[in-house]
Amino acid sequence: MEIGLTHYLIVSAILFAMGIFAIITRKNAILVLMGLELILNAANLNFIAFARYGGLNVNGEIAALFVIIIAAAESAVALSIILNIYQNYHHVNVDEVETLKD
Amino acid sequence: MINYLKNIIKGFSTILVGMKVTFINLFRPNVTVQYPNVHPLVRAGSDKMPDNARNKLNVIIPKCTGCKSCEKACPVNCITIETTKVASIDTEKPLMEDGKKRVFWLSQFDIDFAKCCFCGLCTIACPTSAIVHSTDFEYSCYDRNELLVHFSPFNKEQVAEKKRILAEEVKQKAEKALADKQAAEKAAQEQNITDSKIKSSDDQTSANQNIQNNSN
Amino acid sequence: MNLEAVIFYLFALIIVASGGLVVLSKNIMHAAFALMFTLFGLAGFYAMLLSDFLAVSQIMIYVGGILVLIIFGVMLTSKITGVELKTGPIGKVNYLFGAAISVIIACGLSLLFTNSKWIEKPVDKIPDSSINAIGYSLLTEYILVFEVAAVLLLIALIGAALIAHKDQIIDSDASSNEISTNNDIKIKE
Amino acid sequence: MENHQFLFNFISEYTGDILAGVLIAIIPLALLLVYALVAIYGELKIASFIQLKLGPMRTGKWGLLQPVAEVFKLLQKEDITPDGADKPLFNLAPFIIFLGCYAALSVLPLSSHFAPSGLNIGLFFIIAISSLAVLGIVMGGWASNNKYSLIGAMRSVSQIISYEIPAAMCILGVASMAHSLDMNVISAQQQGGFWNWYVLGGPAGISKIWLIPFTVVMFIVYFVTSLAETNRTPFDVPEGESELVAGYHTEYSGMKFAFFYLAEYGNMFVVSAIMTVIFFGGWSSPFGDFLNSPIWQIFWFIAKSMFFVGLQIWLRWTLPRTRVDQLMYLCWKILLPLSMVCFLAMALGGMLY
């Protein structure tokens, strides 16, 4: 069978679902962040698959590039927030962080 | 700003100076001596060794009388000596260093430096100062057996030859003694016949015999 | 079954397996390193989709940047040696709930993707490299976005440094008192 | 049955492709292994000559078999996994590091007619793939369950990530002058004598003379950066044995340690090869068309790279180890501004010529 657009899209769907699963179930904030990265990557895969097969061409690739840039910025900020949480609570469990201010 | 640039240039130039030093060293002759293979020409301090330094033992064979005092004195039994008597019929007439006649051949004189503890007791025990500490302090070798040093001037064949000569002499002596004995018996028989004739000289002969015994 | 298909399934297997490890592993470190394989598999996919620049960018930014950042985050938020790095799910109900939702999403998206009539335009001429085209359109068509992204990165850099800074710049009275008392105790000791 | 049939069909259909792929993959590996033996021997010999010693002399004539003996020694050593180590990560780490080095080798153009993989974004690929070593180092350091390993790994990672920025600046500068990221194209542009090398301003005739100071400074910056990226002295803080036993590979032994060793020397070759390509003409002969046939090009490429490997070894036995704060000072306050200034000049040169 020839590999086409649908194959890539299904892989991206699976990746997306796994990211959602991680965000819903995991306790540790860093693992939630990893789930987020999975979701972003799934979106990226879609962009590039469409760039190749759907006639999106360079535009798709550039969108993916910006997604990567934003993912980098987002993970830096998210990790700094997580570090801050760790300094205040001495853990990073998302379900036990209840207050925004001491 | 100027300081900053100066700092950079200084750092860079000092690195270059260091690299020059190492580059020159790269082509200088090396000072390593591949020690056990190549001995350094001047061994470190071998001529400035103190007189009582206890280094490798050396045996001056012409001085050695073969008295085995050193073997007895050695606390770790590293000296093995075997002597063979000098046969009087031997054509070689060996002399000691001081001109006296040699009594023993040193058919074996081994020192095992693997065992030696460098106490120096053997040098004290030696009556003729034949065994002394030398200035040689290097023992490194590839095989432990190389540390067993033979000082005897003879190899196995020569030792066997000397022993054979000695045995011959002993045999000759024994034959001679036998012949003497037989001759003496004969003479005794003859004397018995004449014994009664000369009774008065008995005391004198016994006195003579006594003197002979004493002198022996 | 051709070579492309074999390579595709190989990469798909790597992505799904390591992604599953990311999601299900109890050890955060293992999850982080499994994420590396996921990202590599995706880079392989991008290369197969003829966007080599994106593939290399993926390796450079995700693997060399974000993942290292995440690993440092893990190391800084768990006391590294002697402390359990394991973390569990929030609860059994939540687990089932999450599994159900993700299965529904996966199935739904897959159905959607297979049943939709996409306009498929396979690229006839394989371009030498997508880098020229990307560079050209970044500096013409998308110049504003490009600049905004640069500013965004700068803001993120400063913001991250500010948030993670140990001594808060805006001190409340209580916290400053605490700090001073701590210092006093230290001096007395 | 079906599976067998499928496999058989698949293999018979693609035998040529698979065979060619394997053969081409083996070439850089063979190159790496032979080079590692030469480099280890060279390191031992140069180190001892600089210290007025002889170096290895007992194994073979002049100790020529010493690296081979070391390989066999490492092969027969016991492979220890420490108690309490994270086994999968611990076992994986050396291979990840080696993978980064090996993948970088795959895009080096050995000659105008041969590169294992003629990637058109080769330089970018090399910068990207060398970040794999960072992950391998963290993995090994963390999985060893040893504080020294962990501190060494953290230091190493912070050092490599910091120095990646000036290194990328240098590569970008040359890329902006060459208008290409393809290493083969960059090498081809510098053909026709050493005057055309990018360290001397590139192929732009006499008018480029104002560019030469900038390119030379850029080359020096890249050389310093490459030392730091391969954790070589004077920047081998992560392995400082006076503080950290041996850094991130303290707990490794036997074959896995050999992989670390191989990757270190391989990375030395990779950075030297990048330097050769972007500043010293890659495979092109320094004397115009003289000795510039494809076979001789391989010789020129390897000779130039080995020269820089030798330079790294020479520098290692010259300078003492820096402190961590000096290391970071050098990177952020000296190399980065310098490389940025030079990058601006080179970008201008790229626009003009």
Side-chain angles (χ1 to χ4, degrees):
Chain A
M1 191 167 60
E2 197 68 27
I3 298 299
L5 179 62
T6 337
H7 290 79
Y8 290 102
L9 294 185
I10 286 173
V11 171
S12 112
I14 293 171
L15 213 56
F16 184 79
M18 284 196 290
I20 293 282
F21 180 78
I23 288 178
I24 293 177
T25 58
R26 302 318 290 265
K27 222 177 188 177
N28 193 306
I30 291 174
L31 278 166
V32 174
L33 191 65
M34 286 188 212
L36 215 59
E37 299 296 339
L38 286 185
I39 289 176
L40 285 169
N41 270 299
N44 251 358
L45 184 54
N46 267 8
F47 270 122
I48 291 171
F50 281 122
R52 167 76 171 82
Y53 289 106
L56 215 52
N57 290 339
V58 185
N59 299 336
E61 293 186 18
I62 284 180
L65 201 59
F66 283 119
V67 169
I68 291 180
I69 291 169
I70 289 166
E74 163 256 321
S75 67
V77 174
L79 277 169
S80 63
I81 292 172
I82 288 170
L83 279 189
N84 213 356
I85 289 173
Y86 181 74
Q87 277 166 17
N88 288 335
Y89 290 88
H90 300 285
H91 63 73
V92 287
N93 294 343
V94 280
D95 54 338
E96 292 163 31
V97 178
E98 289 150 341
T99 50
L100 287 173
K101 204 177 168 223
D102 310 308
Chain B
M1 187 66 194
I2 290 169
N3 262 342
Y4 170 82
L5 288 177
K6 262 188 190 167
N7 195 13
I8 291 173
I9 290 165
K10 194 184 168 196
F12 189 70
S13 56
T14 45
I15 286 173
L16 284 186
V17 170
M19 286 178 83
K20 199 182 107 193
V21 169
T22 43
F23 191 72
I24 290 168
N25 269 352
L26 194 58
F27 295 105
R28 272 167 64 187
N30 51 58
V31 296
T32 310
V33 175
Q34 292 212 282
Y35 165 56
N37 291 3
V38 183
H39 280 271
L41 292 176
V42 183
R43 286 172 189 150
S46 62
D47 48 343
K48 299 170 201 153
M49 207 57 86
D51 293 335
N52 55 353
R54 295 182 196 159
N55 294 315
K56 208 167 189 171
L57 288 167
N58 191 20
V59 181
I60 304 156
I61 290 298
K63 277 189 183 176
C64 181
T65 56
C67 67
K68 299 193 181 182
S69 311
C70 49
E71 192 182 13
K72 282 169 198 133
C74 183
V76 290
N77 295 334
C78 69
I79 304 175
T80 316
I81 298 173
E82 192 193 291
T83 51
T84 311
K85 219 174 167 187
V86 176
S88 55
I89 60 163
D90 199 338
T91 49
E92 279 184 79
K93 289 297 174 192
L95 293 177
M96 301 284 288
E97 204 184 44
D98 52 0
K100 284 181 185 165
K101 222 173 133 192
R102 184 176 268 289
V103 185
F104 292 110
W105 292 116
L106 289 165
S107 53
Q108 192 192 3
F109 197 123
D110 293 349
I111 299 180
D112 190 351
F113 285 107
K115 282 185 192 166
C116 181
C117 68
F118 305 101
C119 57
L121 290 178
C122 48
T123 60
I124 298 166
C126 187
T128 56
S129 309
I131 183 162
V132 287
H133 283 297
S134 66
T135 51
D136 186 8
F137 54 87
E138 287 166 358
Y139 310 96
S140 48
C141 56
Y142 288 108
D143 189 357
R144 189 184 295 175
N145 290 331
E146 288 173 30
L147 287 170
L148 183 66
V149 179
H150 306 288
F151 285 100
S152 167
F154 299 136
N155 58 20
K156 271 182 187 166
E157 286 80 36
Q158 284 170 315
V159 169
E161 171 70 19
K162 294 295 176 202
K163 281 191 176 162
R164 192 189 60 76
I165 291 172
L166 185 68
E168 209 169 82
E169 196 205 57
V170 170
K171 206 170 135 195
Q172 281 180 3
K173 267 190 181 169
E175 280 171 4
K176 200 181 169 192
L178 199 69
D180 283 358
K181 207 178 174 186
Q182 284 171 349
E185 277 173 7
K186 255 187 186 175
Q189 280 175 354
E190 282 171 11
Q191 209 169 359
N192 279 337
I193 296 165
T194 55
D195 197 20
S196 53
K197 290 178 186 173
I198 315 157
K199 259 186 180 174
S200 56
S201 62
D202 252 12
D203 294 331
Q204 204 181 346
T205 46
S206 65
N208 281 344
Q209 272 177 344
N210 279 340
I211 291 161
Q212 274 180 346
N213 283 339
N214 284 340
S215 66
N216 278 338
Chain C
M1 200 72 172
N2 53 13
L3 203 57
E4 194 193 354
V6 170
I7 295 171
F8 173 85
Y9 285 118
L10 196 70
F11 278 130
L13 187 72
I14 289 174
I15 290 173
V16 172
S18 58
L21 206 59
V22 173
V23 171
L24 297 173
S25 170
K26 278 196 173 153
N27 190 323
I28 310 175
M29 250 357 218
H30 284 187
F33 284 116
L35 188 61
M36 179 182 87
F37 288 99
T38 315
L39 299 172
F40 256 100
L42 280 164
F45 265 9
Y46 297 168
M48 281 177 74
L49 288 166
L50 299 180
S51 50
D52 45 2
F53 180 71
L54 254 291
V56 179
S57 304
Q58 168 92 2
I59 294 174
M60 176 140 186
I61 298 172
Y62 265 110
V63 178
I66 297 176
L67 196 55
V68 172
L69 212 61
I70 286 177
I71 288 168
F72 266 59
V74 173
M75 285 178 171
L76 289 172
T77 55
S78 39
K79 281 168 198 128
I80 306 167
T81 39
V83 170
E84 288 270 305
L85 267 178
K86 287 174 178 153
T87 171
I90 289 171
K92 269 205 174 133
V93 181
N94 215 319
Y95 210 80
L96 283 174
F97 177 67
I101 283 194
S102 52
V103 165
I104 288 167
I105 287 176
C107 293
L109 279 177
S110 303
L111 275 177
L112 192 72
F113 287 148
T114 44
N115 291 332
S116 315
K117 293 274 180 286
W118 303 107
I119 309 161
E120 291 210 23
K121 265 199 255 168
V123 180
D124 301 327
K125 191 172 126 288
I126 295 171
D128 185 39
S129 167
S130 57
I131 185 166
N132 290 334
I134 288 177
Y136 184 76
S137 47
L138 262 186
L139 289 178
T140 52
E141 217 177 325
Y142 293 98
I143 182 74
L144 182 66
V145 192
F146 186 67
E147 296 294 335
V148 168
V151 174
L152 173 76
L153 280 178
L154 184 66
I155 293 169
L157 198 70
I158 296 170
L162 189 69
I163 294 170
H165 198 261
K166 256 187 184 170
D167 306 318
Q168 293 288 321
I169 287 174
I170 308 156
D171 275 351
S172 65
D173 293 337
S175 64
S176 63
N177 282 339
E178 259 176 39
I179 287 165
S180 61
T181 49
N182 282 341
N183 283 345
D184 290 344
I185 288 163
K186 265 182 194 168
I187 290 160
K188 274 171 198 168
E189 277 172 359
Chain D
M1 265 317 276
E2 271 184 4
N3 273 332
H4 285 280
Q5 196 62 39
F6 155 69
L7 254 181
F8 180 75
N9 282 340
F10 180 76
I11 288 172
S12 59
E13 195 175 342
Y14 293 102
T15 310
D17 289 354
I18 294 170
L19 213 63
V22 169
L23 270 179
I24 288 173
I26 281 175
I27 290 172
L29 187 66
L31 180 76
L32 180 64
L33 292 176
V34 173
Y35 149 78
L37 293 183
V38 174
I40 292 170
Y41 181 73
E43 170 115 46
L44 292 170
K45 277 297 186 187
I46 292 178
S48 32
F49 283 156
I50 283 178
Q51 299 168 42
L52 305 186
K53 297 189 293 187
L54 279 173
M57 290 294 277
R58 301 244 178 249
T59 34
K61 183 93 175 156
W62 306 307
L64 274 170
L65 291 175
Q66 184 67 31
V68 182
E70 288 198 8
V71 168
F72 279 112
K73 176 198 78 178
L74 285 172
L75 274 174
Q76 65 179 359
K77 266 188 173 178
E78 191 190 352
D79 201 3
I80 300 168
T81 308
D83 201 23
D86 196 324
K87 280 207 175 72
L89 295 185
F90 185 81
N91 292 327
L92 200 60
F95 300 102
I96 297 280
I97 290 179
F98 180 70
L99 194 69
C101 161
Y102 184 40
L105 275 176
S106 71
V107 293
L108 296 178
L110 293 179
S111 135
S112 58
H113 287 71
F114 177 74
S117 163
L119 207 58
N120 48 16
I121 45 170
L123 274 176
F124 190 40
F125 177 77
I126 284 189
I127 308 176
I129 205 76
S130 58
S131 62
L132 207 58
V134 177
L135 277 179
I137 287 169
V138 183
M139 209 187 241
W142 185 81
S144 298
N145 192 27
N146 178 334
K147 277 166 189 154
Y148 292 127
S149 296
L150 189 64
I151 295 171
M154 293 286 241
R155 277 190 187 183
S156 179
V157 168
S158 57
Q159 173 184 332
I160 292 175
I161 289 182
S162 308
Y163 275 83
E164 247 174 28
I165 298 165
M169 275 288 172
C170 300
I171 290 175
L172 269 182
V174 173
S176 67
M177 281 175 81
H179 304 292
S180 174
L181 283 169
D182 191 335
M183 297 176 96
N184 207 1
V185 172
I186 294 176
S187 303
Q189 282 172 353
Q190 301 175 63
Q191 265 175 316
F194 62 88
W195 180 244
N196 284 349
W197 288 352
Y198 276 119
V199 72
L200 294 176
I206 199 78
S207 62
K208 52 140 199 211
I209 208 153
W210 61 274
L211 205 57
I212 291 176
F214 294 105
T215 44
V216 170
V217 169
M218 200 62 142
F219 161 66
I220 291 165
V221 168
Y222 187 76
F223 185 73
V224 175
T225 323
S226 74
L227 286 177
E229 281 204 64
T230 48
N231 290 337
R232 295 283 298 179
T233 330
F235 304 116
D236 64 341
V237 184
E239 293 164 22
E241 55 279 295
S242 53
E243 304 160 20
L244 296 175
V245 192
Y248 52 88
H249 53 64
T250 304
E251 295 288 348
Y252 284 90
S253 64
M255 207 48 220
K256 280 181 252 165
F257 177 73
F259 267 99
F260 276 106
Y261 210 59
L262 193 60
E264 188 192 328
Y265 279 93
N267 278 328
M268 272 168 72
F269 183 76
V270 169
V271 291
S272 302
I274 296 173
M275 241 182 288
T276 304
V277 168
I278 65 175
F279 288 115
F280 287 87
W283 40 256
S284 64
S285 158
F287 313 112
D289 287 335
F290 177 64
L291 297 179
N292 204 16
S293 66
I295 302 295
W296 275 103
Q297 284 167 355
I298 295 180
F299 165 76
W300 286 122
F301 186 85
I302 290 179
K304 288 171 185 172
S305 304
M306 289 311 281
F307 172 74
F308 289 114
V309 171
L311 204 59
Q312 287 183 337
I313 293 172
W314 174 15
L315 208 58
R316 172 172 183 179
W317 298 103
T318 301
L319 297 177
R321 190 178 289 136
T322 54
R323 261 187 348 244
V324 180
D325 60 321
Q326 290 169 338
L327 190 84
M328 288 299 158
Y329 174 83
L330 185 66
C331 175
W332 292 105
K333 290 197 172 171
I334 295 177
L335 294 183
L336 192 58
L338 273 183
S339 66
M340 276 177 166
V341 169
C342 295
F343 171 67
L344 277 181
M346 287 170 85
L348 193 65
M351 279 161 71
L352 288 177
Y353 306 118

